[in-house]
Structures are given as structure tokens and as C-alpha cells.
Amino acid sequence: MPALPPLDLPIVQSPMAGGATTPDLVAAVAGAGALGFVAAGYLSAGQLRDQIAAVRDRTSRPFGVNLFVPWRDTDARTDAYAATLAPDAEKLGVELGTPRWDDDDWAGKLELLLTDPLPVVGLTFGCPAGAVAALRNAGSAVAVTVTTLDEARAAAAAGADALLLQGAEAGAHRGSWTPDAEPVPLRELLDAVKTVTDLPLVAAGGLADRDAVNAVLRAGAWYAQVGTALLRSPESGASPAHKDALVKGETTITRAFTGRRARGLVNEFIRAHESDAIEAYPQVHNLTRPLRAAAAKAGDTDRMALWAGTGHASAQDAPAADIIHALAP
């Protein structure tokens, strides 16, 4: 039976899609004795192949890849929401994107990982039993992101080798794959799930200092997953403006940027558009992609998607390996 690789430290790096996770970050985390994860979200199969090769060039330690399971296609009506975004796009000098559905090159990336297996593959936004079985048959351990007790039970029944428990405190997108799943605080989720399964549990959500990591390990997690804690490292691909913003402010869960609930730092874009935001992913993600890219390039933190967990203020400006060692029990 596939299993997570042995680690020196019980820490897993969050696969932060959209550029924050770089090959340098994954390799630095793996080199420190933790488990690094390539973020395959928004990459083509070819881009993912290149990222995997780049990590392999940098380390011989085991690492994993996380895939976004395609979200269901819906008849999303985005015209009204797009109209509210037009002034922001005009200010940044860009056109809004096309609000289209896509499957994030799911089949191509899955085929890549079946023909060139890695020790671990993570799944976010879903748990297709056929893909779980195929990945396990190829020799990869499969870690499924869950946000509720029911999702945990379903993932275990589908053959998952580990469960990644994403608490309400976690930054960026909610990994939920059941309609209208309400965010559950991490400790509550961990306490519930550990009573129904013996699978290895990875706890994620707001863990940005050693005390927080120790607390979830004492509470029954096998591993602690950290993401925001690494965003200010030099290996992170987060923009300078994003890194600077992490030291202040507060977070909220919003649909304004992507049409799917995600936690980020409160800014003017969220204040202006959250009330009009619609549940339509990835259509809204594709609609706002040019706007978000232009804002990041301009350092416009009022219009950037500043993804962050609740522990963001503890993020340190230090090498990733040093951060991992500082977090380790």
C-alpha cells in the first residue's frame, strides 16, 4: 500500500497555486527534511513537467504534486458582476478576461503523474475514486484535502492514503468539494476526523509558529501543513507587495476574486465587490485573471488577491529552510 515518504520533520508545505510555490521553495522545504509540494493548479501538463524537473534538479529528497480536481460546470451568469469590475480594469489599463469554464488540464496532468509517478499526489476540490485508484496503482500515495467530517469519510472510503484537514483558518481557496460546505475551525475538524479513521492526518490552517504546530501535533495530527508562514521567504514567488502586506491587516473569506471561497487579506477590492460576488469557479477566476496580474505587477494592493491564512502576521522574512526548522517541534 502506498504511504507518505519518511520525513525528518512532521511538516508539509502547502501547494500554493498561482506562482507563490516555486521549484526553489519546494526544494528548500524538502532539503530541510519536510515534504515539499509542487502546486499544479493553473499549470498546463507541460508546465507541470517543467516544474517537476526543476525541483528534481535542485534536490534528491522526496516531494509531491497537488492537483485541482475539475469543478462542476455551471451556467454561470457573469455579465452583471463583470460590469462592476470594469472600473478596476480600466484603472489598471487591462481588459477583463473571458469568464470561461475549464478543467485545468486535468487529464493531461493526471496522465503525466501516472507515467512518471511521484511519492505523493494531493487532490484538492474533489476525490474521484478512479483517479485515486489509478494514482495508487502507479505507486503514489494519495492525500485528499477535506474540510468536513463527511468529506473525510468519503475520501477514506475512496482509498485515500492520507487526509489533509483544511480548517477555516487556512489561506487561499477552500478545498471543499461538497456544495455549500461551511468552513470548520481546524481543531474542531481534527477532533472529529481522528475519531473515525486511522489514516495519517495532515492539519492545515493558520499554523505559522511553533506553538501552533505543536498544538495540532499534540491533538492527533501526524503532520502540520504550512503555507502563509513561507510566503515571505526569498524562495517564495509571492510579489514584494504581497509579502509586505502580510505583516498587517486582517483576513476574510471572499468569492470576489475567483468565484470560489478563499481566505485573503481584506482590501478595497473585497470591500467593493464581495456583496456582488457570485459562486462561479473558475469562470470568475478567468474573468479577473488579467486584473489580478496587472495589480500584482503594479504593486496595487487594493486590487491584488492577497491570499493569507489567519497566522499571516507571524510570517518571517527568512530562508525557507530556516522557517521550517523554526516551526518544527
Side-chain angles (χ1 to χ4, degrees):
M1 183 177 77
L4 298 183
L7 303 173
D8 297 336
L9 303 173
I11 295 180
V12 176
Q13 166 243 315
S14 177
M16 298 171 285
T21 301
T22 66
D24 285 339
L25 179 61
V26 178
V29 169
L35 182 62
F37 258 101
V38 175
Y42 313 135
L43 301 181
S44 68
Q47 290 171 323
L48 176 58
R49 182 184 297 108
D50 292 344
Q51 290 254 332
I52 292 171
V55 177
R56 284 173 169 159
D57 284 344
R58 289 160 170 79
T59 183
S60 60
R61 299 292 297 258
F63 63 95
V65 162
N66 187 68
L67 299 177
F68 283 174
V69 177
W71 197 238
R72 60 187 180 276
D73 194 3
T74 59
D75 182 23
R77 302 182 183 278
T78 60
D79 289 351
Y81 188 54
T84 71
L85 303 177
D88 296 279
E90 182 178 359
K91 183 174 181 63
L92 290 165
V94 296
E95 298 289 332
L96 291 170
T98 302
R100 59 183 177 84
W101 181 89
D102 65 71
D103 68 357
D104 202 44
D105 201 6
W106 164 256
K109 288 186 280 197
L110 184 60
E111 180 61 25
L112 171 65
L113 295 173
L114 293 176
T115 56
D116 184 13
L118 287 173
V120 188
V121 175
L123 298 178
T124 298
F125 302 159
C127 182
V132 172
L135 289 163
R136 296 183 79 242
N137 287 338
S140 299
V142 179
V144 178
T145 299
V146 300
T147 63
T148 68
L149 180 60
D150 285 344
E151 288 179 354
R153 288 193 175 108
D161 297 291
L163 301 180
L164 194 160
L165 311 184
Q166 187 190 49
E169 302 89 343
H173 280 113
R174 308 295 307 142
S176 57
W177 37 282
T178 48
D180 304 318
E182 289 299 319
V184 179
L186 176 57
R187 185 58 185 271
E188 180 181 334
L189 183 62
L190 176 58
D191 288 345
V193 173
K194 71 182 183 182
T195 67
V196 300
T197 182
D198 293 326
L199 288 174
L201 304 180
V202 184
L207 309 180
D209 58 45
R210 180 174 287 171
D211 288 344
V213 168
N214 276 327
V216 294
L217 296 176
R218 287 195 301 267
W222 291 38
Y223 307 90
Q225 178 168 290
V226 299
T228 303
L230 294 162
L231 279 180
R232 297 184 67 209
S233 70
E235 294 91 348
S236 160
S239 70
H242 191 168
K243 292 181 179 183
D244 289 344
L246 290 171
V247 301
K248 55 189 176 183
E250 59 185 32
T251 65
T252 190
I253 293 177
T254 179
R255 296 178 303 178
F257 288 105
T258 69
R260 185 180 179 90
R261 285 184 289 185
R263 183 176 291 280
L265 293 170
V266 177
N267 61 7
E268 289 304 315
F269 188 93
I270 292 174
R271 293 189 186 99
H273 299 297
E274 180 60 26
S275 61
D276 298 317
I278 58 175
E279 189 78 22
Y281 178 88
Q283 291 92 333
V284 173
H285 164 76
N286 288 321
L287 176 70
T288 66
R289 188 195 292 255
L291 189 157
R292 290 179 284 120
K297 184 177 181 180
D300 183 351
T301 55
D302 280 335
R303 293 174 177 81
M304 290 171 59
L306 300 169
W307 304 132
T310 57
H312 62 91
S314 296
Q316 299 298 306
D317 180 4
D322 291 352
I323 294 171
I324 292 296
H325 289 299
L327 292 171

